[in-house]
Structures are given as structure tokens and as C-alpha cells.
Amino acid sequence: MNLLDRILYKWLFRSLANQLLITYLIVITFALAAVSFWALVAIRKESLTDLQNTLEVEAVNLGLEIDNDLELDSPKSRLRIQSAVDRRATRLGVAIVVVDSDGRLLADSSEPRPQENLAKEQEINEALAGVISKSTRSDPESLKNWMYVACPVRSSGTTTGVIRVGVPLTDIERRLKKDLFVFLEIIFATGVVTVLISLWLAKRVNRPLIEMSALAKQISISGDFSAFLPVRRQDEIGELCLSFNQMIGRLREQERVRQEFISNASHELKTPTMAIGSVVEALQAGAAEDPKLRHQFLGSLERLVDRQTSLIQDLLDISKLDSGGETGWQEDVNMAQLVSDSVEQIRPQADKKELAISTQFEASGAQDLVVAGNTSQLQRALINILTNAVKYTPAGGSITIVVRALSSDRLEIRIQDTGSGIDAFDLPHIFDRFYRADKARTRETGGTGLGLAIVREIVARHHGTVEVESTVSRGSTFVILLPLRQRGTEIGTI
Ligand SMILES: Nc1ncnc2c1ncn2[C@@H]1O[C@H](COP(=O)(O)OP(=O)(O)O)[C@@H](O)[C@H]1O
Ligand SMILES: [Mg+2]
């Protein structure tokens, strides 16, 4: 590729506007050229037909004037014919010849060619046969195109001679040339207007696109979501700008949530770490010497480390869920089985508080209580809710779990406790990350405020919902709705 090609290539393919411009130009030029060509051909045809008609009328008129003289065929009559021919030829600016029935020249308005036989010329030949004939050809002497019309002169049924009227086509050709220039001017002017309009349009279309591309570049380089695009239009481009801004808004929100999460997580991690530090300090300062104190301090150290561990586990889980990691293949999860297993897992804690746990499974017809999903994630969600139920229910209370098919495609899991209940003020927030209804008390019970956030995340991934009903000091009921596995459904990822 040489330099010019490369520049042209760049000019054309690096710019949408230039591609549009070239396309418009080609289409418009082609269309106008086609129309012009068609118009010129039509004008030419029309002019020639007009001219032919005029010549024909002249020939017929002359025929009426000289038909007697043609029949007489005497020197005198020939003179009369010649003068009639000359008169008309000068008046009309045409060339006229008259031949007799054998094709011999009788009179000629241009220089006389006596006794020349013109029968071999096509139009005269045809006219001698009795028809009006026309021909257009170039004259070798004048190098001009001529039109000839030959008319037979008839008397009592026989052709007595032929009158041929000829005229050079220079006038028509001059007019056509003029028309051609007018058309070319129109094509050129239209081209210029097209270029101007295209440039204007390109600027209109390109400006927001260039702005958008610059902003996208800026975001990708600096990660700074502070700027929005100006939306000045209501067309598709305006809509694109709006969507772009919505995307920026969403990214901004995500970024805000992420920052908040990090700052909350660091804060949550810092508190027990500092407590561990002080306990260790106290032990080093001499508390380790006293067996009673040592036992007490080591006990709190163990609780603090446990809390730290469970917080870190929750953080890992939630970030895994956020990043879309751990996308296990969908398994058939038997919820009755899973609920029983989960209950067994928390039973030791429940027994410690003497809480009664009852489970109830209601399958509908042939429908098993089977959900398509990830077993360990679903178990994690159940355990989180059950742990809360145990944690927030005072000794002697009870926990009831009902698993049932609501319809052929929906499963409901109700986990009801007779615990402290949740204040209406806190209720809308308990699924938020790090949200704890009663901070002092829950921290004491080892809560991180992430348990229900993880539940909501997992249930959502299984295309389900989780809700809570609660009355303070009466208890709470968590209701999970999940789609039941449909027989024959495709196996995919969550
Ligand atoms: N069964 C329940 N009874 C009363 N309050 C509950 C129950 N489950 C959750 N909560 C409240 O919701 C808050 C959020 O729960 P969760 O996300 O599991 O965090 P935590 O780590 O504190 O258990 C808890 O701090 C608690 O105040
Ligand atoms: Mg919890």
C-alpha cells in the first residue's frame, strides 16, 4: 500500500462520517447522472422528431408547388423547380434537392451537380419506392451531422420525383451540449450541498460520540466516575448518552457500596484484633501467672479468635458471591433432606438453650421438595437463619420449620421462632450488610451483621426471595420462596 492509499484508507475507515459522506456522494451522483442521461436522450429524441416533422411539412409543401413541373419535365419547368427550391432553401436555411422518378438530380439548393443520380442514397431510394423516409448521418465534407427527410411527389398513382430536405444538426447538438453542462452544474452543486450537509450532520453525530469515547477512556484510565455526559438531544444518540449516564450512575453506586463494604469490613476486623492485643498484653503483664485470670483471659481470647474467624469466613463468602465465583453446577437439592441436616447441625447449640425444634414437610402430590441449585450454598443460607433463630430466642423457646410445595413450581420454607422479634424500625434493614438490630447485644453474641446478607444473596442466585415477619418479643418468621425443580429442565449454572 503506498502512502496515498494509506492516507485514503485511514480517512475513510477511521471515520463514520466520511463513510457516510462517500456513500451519499456516490448515490446522489449516480442517481443524478442517470436522470440527466435519460433526460438528454429524451430531449434529443423529441428535438429530432420535431425537426423531422418540420422538414416533412416543408417537403410536402414544396411538392404541392412543383408537382406539375415535375410531370412536364421541360427546361422551363426545371428552371421553375430550381427557383422554387432556392427560394425555400434560403428562407428556411435548409438544403433541398429534387430528383426525378429515376433518381436523377433535377434541382439542388447548394452547388448544382447536374445529372447526378441520387437513387443510391438510402432515404431517396426509399422515397422513390413511395414512402416518406428519414436518415441521419455525417456529411464527409462539412463533418457535420445532417438529418435528411425525403418525400415522394406523386401524381395519379405514380411517383414522379422525390424532394429531399436536409438540415445540419448543429443547433440541436449545441442545445444538447448546453443542457449537458446545466446538468453537470446541477450534479456538482448537489455534490457540494451534500458535502456541506454531511459535514454538518457528521459534526452533530460525531460530537456526542467523541465526547462519549473520551469519557469512557477517562473512566477506564482513572476509574473516576464523577463526570456525566451532557444530554442535548432526544434522538437515538441522546438515548445512548442517557444509557451511558445510567451506566456511570450504576458504577458510581457500586463503587460507593464497595468502599462502604471495605470500610465496614476493616472496622469490624479491627475491633476484635485490638481486643486480642489487649488480652495478650494483659497476659504478658502478669495475668498469666494467676491461674484464674489466665483461664478467664484465654477463654476470651478463644471467643475473640472464633469471632474473627467467623467474620473472615462471612467476608470470604460474600465476596465470593459478589464476584460470581463458586458457580457450582446445578444439582438436584432435596430440601427436606437439607433442612433435616441443617437442623442436626445446630441442634447442639439449641439443646444448650433447651429450645424445642420441630420440622414439617408437605410435598404436594408427586412433586418432590427438590430445588435445582447449589447444595452447600443453600445449606449455608439455612444454617444462617437457623443460627439466628437459636441465637435470638431465649431459653425454653421453640423453633418450627415447615417446608412445603406452594404450587407445582414453588417451594416455601418457613422458619419460625419464639424469640425476641425485630423492631419495625430495623425490619427493612436486617438483610443489609453489617446491619445489626441491637449492636451492643449482637456483638456480644458474636454477630457480624453479614449472615442475612449472605442469605439474601444466595436465595437471589437461586431465583428465589426471602422475607421476614416479626413481632417484638413474640418472635420472627423467615419465609424463603424458591422455584421447584421442573422435570426435564436444562442443567445450567447459577
Ligand atoms: N430470628 C431472629 N430474631 C430476632 N432478630 C433477628 C433474627 N434474625 C436476625 N435478627 C436481627 O437481624 C440482624 C441481622 O442478622 P444477621 O445478618 O444474621 O447478623 P448477625 O451476625 O447479627 O446475626 C441481627 O443482628 C438481629 O438483630
Ligand atoms: Mg446471624
Side-chain angles (χ1 to χ4, degrees), residues 124-187:
I124 291 189
N125 193 355
E126 281 170 15
L128 284 172
V131 288
I132 297 176
S133 163
K134 176 205 106 174
S135 100
T136 311
R137 65 184 119 91
S138 146
D139 175 42
E141 280 170 40
S142 61
L143 294 175
K144 284 178 189 163
N145 288 323
W146 282 73
M147 174 189 269
Y148 297 107
V149 172
C151 273
V153 183
R154 297 168 75 81
S155 168
S156 53
T158 57
T159 304
T160 50
V162 166
I163 297 172
R164 186 185 74 180
V165 186
V167 73
L169 295 177
T170 32
D171 274 356
I172 289 184
E173 276 164 0
R174 201 176 307 129
R175 209 186 118 198
L176 281 176
K177 210 180 263 175
K178 225 162 114 193
D179 287 348
L180 177 69
F181 277 113
V182 170
F183 283 130
L184 285 179
E185 275 164 25
I186 291 175
I187 292 178

Side-chain angles (χ1 to χ4, degrees), residues 307 314 384-393 415-417 419-423 426 429-439 441-443 445-455 468 470 475-478:
R307 184 173 141 62
D314 282 354
N384 280 4
I385 292 180
L386 288 171
T387 313
N388 283 346
V390 172
K391 201 155 63 173
Y392 301 111
T393 304
I415 301 168
Q416 189 172 8
D417 64 50
S420 60
I422 303 160
D423 198 281
D426 297 309
H429 304 292
I430 57 163
F431 290 99
D432 293 349
R433 292 173 182 195
F434 299 109
Y435 193 88
R436 287 178 295 231
D438 180 348
K439 291 191 168 46
R441 195 172 54 98
T442 47
R443 188 163 292 151
T445 51
T448 61
L450 285 173
L452 289 180
I454 293 176
V455 171
V468 59
S470 187
S476 320
T477 307
F478 284 84

Side-chain angles (χ1 to χ4, degrees), residues 13-34:
F13 289 101
R14 287 285 179 83
S15 160
L16 198 65
N18 291 347
Q19 288 170 26
L20 278 179
L21 171 67
I22 286 290
T23 316
Y24 284 157
L25 266 184
I26 291 177
V27 169
I28 287 178
T29 312
F30 185 78
L32 281 179

Side-chain angles (χ1 to χ4, degrees), residues 47-248:
S47 312
L48 289 180
T49 316
D50 275 358
L51 187 63
Q52 185 188 343
N53 289 341
T54 317
L55 296 184
E56 226 177 279
V57 169
E58 288 309 324
V60 169
N61 284 345
L62 180 61
L64 289 175
E65 194 181 331
I66 61 170
D67 54 353
N68 283 334
D69 290 326
L70 265 177
E71 256 182 287
L72 286 174
D73 196 22
S74 65
K76 242 184 173 172
S77 68
R78 277 189 204 173
L79 271 179
R80 273 201 298 273
I81 291 175
Q82 182 68 46
S83 77
V85 163
D86 286 343
R87 215 177 328 116
R88 262 176 206 271
T90 348
R91 182 159 56 84
L92 301 168
V94 294
I96 303 177
V97 293
V98 179
V99 298
D100 67 10
S101 55
D102 294 326
R104 274 192 306 274
L105 188 70
L106 293 179
D108 190 340
S109 63
S110 46
E111 51 192 270
R113 290 164 284 182
Q115 297 308 311
E116 193 184 341
N117 195 312
L118 297 181
K120 61 184 183 311
E121 300 206 345
Q122 181 215 333
E123 70 280 354
I124 291 189
N125 193 355
E126 281 170 15
L128 284 172
V131 288
I132 297 176
S133 163
K134 176 205 106 174
S135 100
T136 311
R137 65 184 119 91
S138 146
D139 175 42
E141 280 170 40
S142 61
L143 294 175
K144 284 178 189 163
N145 288 323
W146 282 73
M147 174 189 269
Y148 297 107
V149 172
C151 273
V153 183
R154 297 168 75 81
S155 168
S156 53
T158 57
T159 304
T160 50
V162 166
I163 297 172
R164 186 185 74 180
V165 186
V167 73
L169 295 177
T170 32
D171 274 356
I172 289 184
E173 276 164 0
R174 201 176 307 129
R175 209 186 118 198
L176 281 176
K177 210 180 263 175
K178 225 162 114 193
D179 287 348
L180 177 69
F181 277 113
V182 170
F183 283 130
L184 285 179
E185 275 164 25
I186 291 175
I187 292 178
F188 179 75
T190 316
V192 170
V193 172
T194 309
V195 169
L196 291 180
I197 291 179
S198 299
L199 289 178
W200 175 76
L201 257 182
K203 215 173 134 201
R204 248 177 81 80
V205 172
N206 265 4
R207 192 166 137 207
L209 288 182
I210 289 171
E211 281 173 355
M212 202 178 292
S213 143
L215 186 55
K217 216 174 263 173
Q218 182 196 324
I219 291 174
S220 67
I221 291 171
S222 65
D224 170 17
F225 303 118
S226 58
F228 280 120
L229 273 179
V231 183
R232 306 188 193 86
R233 312 150 51 131
Q234 294 185 333
D235 54 11
E236 291 90 337
I237 298 228
E239 220 155 87
L240 183 60
C241 291
L242 266 181
S243 306
F244 195 84
N245 284 345
Q246 277 165 359
M247 185 183 75
I248 293 181

Side-chain angles (χ1 to χ4, degrees), residues 22-23 44 46 52 93 121 134 193 200 214 224 254 262 266 271-272 276 301 304 314 351 358 381 392 421 424 429 482:
I22 286 290
T23 316
R44 185 170 188 271
E46 183 103 336
Q52 185 188 343
E121 300 206 345
K134 176 205 106 174
V193 172
W200 175 76
D224 170 17
Q254 275 180 0
I262 289 175
S266 330
T271 318
I276 290 170
L301 211 52
L304 283 166
D314 282 354
D351 285 347
S358 67
Y392 301 111
H429 304 292
L482 285 171

